[in-house]
Amino acid sequence: EHIAEGKDGANGTKIWITSSGKALLCKNTSRIPQNILRNLMRLIEANSNVIVDRWYSQFGVIRYFC
C-alpha cells in the first residue's frame, strides 16, 4: 500500500500489510509526521481485512512480504 498526498511517486510513503493484518512501514520518504503516520498505520491495521479484500477484488492476487 502506498500513501501519498497527490500523485504517488518515488518520494512516497510505503506501508505494507502483513499476512497477520499488521501495518509495516517500508519507507517514509515523503516525511509524514510521526503522529499522523502512527494514526494512518492504526487505521490500516483496523481495516486490513477490508483493504485486502478490495485489493483482491480489483487485482485478483494477494502477495505478502511477511
Side-chain angles (χ1 to χ4, degrees):
E1 183 69 28
H2 293 80
I3 299 174
E5 183 176 354
K7 188 176 179 181
D8 181 30
N11 293 327
T13 293
K14 187 173 185 179
I15 298 172
W16 293 344
I17 298 175
T18 67
S19 59
S20 64
K22 297 294 182 186
L24 178 66
L25 180 63
C26 178
K27 67 177 184 172
N28 186 15
T29 312
S30 61
R31 298 187 182 118
I32 295 173
Q34 286 300 311
N35 62 326
I36 294 172
L37 186 60
R38 191 170 34 255
N39 288 335
L40 288 170
M41 291 179 70
R42 286 181 186 149
L43 285 169
I44 290 168
E45 288 181 353
N47 295 286
S48 63
N49 288 337
V50 172
I51 296 167
V52 169
D53 288 346
R54 290 191 180 168
W55 182 278
Y56 185 78
S57 293
Q58 181 69 30
F59 300 106
V61 66
I62 297 290
R63 285 178 278 173
Y64 294 100
F65 174 74
C66 56

